[in-house]
Amino acid sequence: MQSQNHIKALIDPVFGIIARSAQDLNINTYVIGGFVRDYLMGNEIPKDIDIVAVGSGIELAKRVASHLPGNPKVSVFKNFGTAMINHEGQELEFVGARKESYHRDSRKPVVEDGTLEEDQKRRDFTINALALSLNKKNYGVLLDPFDGLGDLKRKLIRTPLEPGITYSDDPLRMMRAIRFATQLGFTIHGDSLRAITENKQRIKIISKERIVDELHKILGSTKPSVGFALLHTTGLLKYILPELKALEGIEEVEGQRHKDNFWHTLEVVDNIAKTTENLWLRWAALLHDIGKAPTKKFHKRIGWTFHGHEFVGSKMVYTLFKRLHMPLNEKMKFVQKMVRMSSRPIILSEDFVTDSAVRRLVFDAGDHVEDLMTLCEADITTKNPRKQRKYKSNFKLVRQKIVEVEERDHIRNFQPPISGEEIMRTFGLKPSREIGILKEAIKEAILEGVIPNEYSAAQNYMLQKGNEMGLKAKI
Ligand code: CTP
């Protein structure tokens, strides 16, 4: 048990209000969880605060709210004995100390009052069980019965109880362990890792939304590969993202091998994490090769191919998002588009980079062309320095050309310079196939650089093409 005082952590006036309210009710109260952990790590302190009361957390919350400016509303979750106050954008979560697993998301609403230490014991990790007293007699003192502070120093994720119990109390904690290891750069204790591996199939009882929350946090960290590698080694991956698991392995036929697309993907995700915070672009990096497992083939003459994997992969994105109850909205469409187009800039840069190829890329990718380039640059994982240099300088050239072509031709969000109505008026046509043919011909001429993307050039081109098709201009 530590007796360090951390009164400095409690400068937020809200702690004074909580302490006074608890004193009024004659109950002992503590700050616990992420707030204490992040403070002790010297990290940015989270806005949200978890409070544990040795008594009724709900009563305490009500008393606190009555003392707060504006008397904020208290949301009570009676089944779980918890209450929440949203105070000026800050979430204050109150819970009564429990003997049993207590967590608000836990399925079983067992609420048996306990002491602080009994409550700490039922929490997920020693580093999350650290508590600071808000009581008069020892205000600011750290209560740490499981040496969470030592684990913070050792950078260790460890459970207060025998890990099998902690993880079966709430199997989501298996993912939380991996997520914290990834976010904080910590190691998971060997006993915990074994327990996770043994209990992996219990992840099935956890809601998809909570799993995805953890995946987002893993993907949002500086080195997401740490988390995905752990999901893989513990065996959780096949329950959560079997499409990724299927990418693992190298096959060899007649002396020809292909790369291990799982480990390659993890490298790509780490690369992209250095250049973008865009979570959906990071998802695209994670999923960009999933079509490779179902499309893999060996051909005697050409070796391994993954024909059409981008298209197949983009279809799989839908299935995966649906299975994980993720949004099937424009975010998903963005990921699909990135996966579908993920090889385009590479193919383009392998060759001589022509203006028309760049125009087509901009036309197809629209506003997402920079994101696509970012994805493709992250996809360069070759260890051959000569190839690295070549790809990088080619991509630089593509990016430059995108800017030049865009300034000149305005292909992004392309609007045809000549409308269908104008074509009908010009040639006195009723709605017909010819209009589509002419519109397409004008678009193609612009993309190919035959004419600039301007009205008068397009008008002349329309007249010329119409003429060739045997149409007579009426005006
Ligand atoms: N907790 C737990 N088991 C869970 C979830 C949470 O024991 N499955 C406990 C931990 O003590 C945790 C506290 O509840 O510190 C608050 O949970 P939460 O707000 O989800 O996590 P934080 O630790 O605050 O961290 P983060 O905000 O990064 O998720």
Side-chain angles (χ1 to χ4, degrees), residues 279-460:
L279 181 67
W280 301 103
L281 190 50
R282 291 183 178 203
W283 267 105
L286 186 70
L287 305 181
H288 79 287
D289 268 350
I290 52 174
K292 281 193 172 173
T295 56
K296 183 166 93 172
K297 277 208 174 69
F298 183 79
H299 305 266
K300 270 201 172 326
R301 237 171 288 144
I302 42 175
W304 293 101
T305 64
F306 304 91
H307 186 68
H309 77 84
E310 303 86 348
F311 181 73
V312 172
S314 77
K315 298 267 168 222
M316 291 166 74
V317 168
Y318 172 81
T319 323
L320 186 153
F321 269 49
K322 195 160 189 264
R323 188 187 66 236
L324 292 178
H325 301 176
M326 286 167 73
L328 302 175
N329 56 12
E330 76 288 349
K331 306 268 195 296
M332 181 206 62
K333 288 197 185 127
F334 167 77
V335 177
Q336 283 192 303
K337 183 173 178 181
M338 290 296 105
V339 172
R340 195 171 55 244
M341 295 191 71
S342 59
S343 303
R344 285 278 298 275
I346 300 173
I347 299 167
L348 189 151
S349 73
E350 271 168 353
D351 220 345
F352 177 69
V353 186
T354 64
D355 281 9
S356 58
V358 171
R359 267 193 297 269
R360 283 188 187 280
L361 182 73
V362 177
F363 179 80
D364 291 336
D367 277 340
H368 299 137
V369 70
E370 273 90 18
D371 286 339
L372 183 63
M373 292 305 296
T374 304
L375 172 61
C376 291
E377 277 158 346
D379 203 3
I380 309 172
T381 60
T382 170
K383 302 293 171 289
N384 176 332
R386 197 183 47 80
K387 280 195 185 166
Q388 268 267 357
R389 271 197 305 276
K390 186 183 130 202
Y391 281 130
K392 287 211 167 130
S393 78
N394 275 356
F395 277 137
K396 213 167 140 195
L397 189 65
V398 176
R399 276 195 190 263
Q400 233 171 339
K401 286 229 175 204
I402 289 172
V403 177
E404 284 168 22
V405 160
E406 192 45 31
E407 268 175 17
R408 204 175 50 230
D409 301 327
H410 312 290
I411 298 297
R412 199 180 288 214
N413 304 321
F414 180 82
Q415 295 293 337
I418 303 279
S419 69
E421 280 94 73
E422 182 163 354
I423 298 173
M424 291 200 276
R425 248 185 291 122
T426 307
F427 296 109
L429 291 170
K430 296 227 153 49
S432 56
R433 253 183 79 231
E434 280 77 7
I435 300 150
I437 296 172
L438 280 169
K439 276 186 88 175
E440 183 64 19
I442 296 167
K443 185 194 92 188
E444 278 297 308
I446 293 169
L447 292 181
E448 277 305 306
V450 177
I451 56 166
N453 185 11
E454 285 163 10
Y455 177 75
S456 65
Q459 194 190 30
N460 283 337

Side-chain angles (χ1 to χ4, degrees), residues 21-46:
S21 308
Q23 220 177 330
D24 291 350
L25 297 171
N26 200 21
I27 53 182
N28 284 333
T29 301
Y30 307 85
V31 200
I32 197 157
F35 180 92
V36 184
R37 179 194 70 225
D38 289 344
Y39 170 79
L40 292 172
M41 285 183 76
N43 290 347
E44 196 186 321
I45 310 181

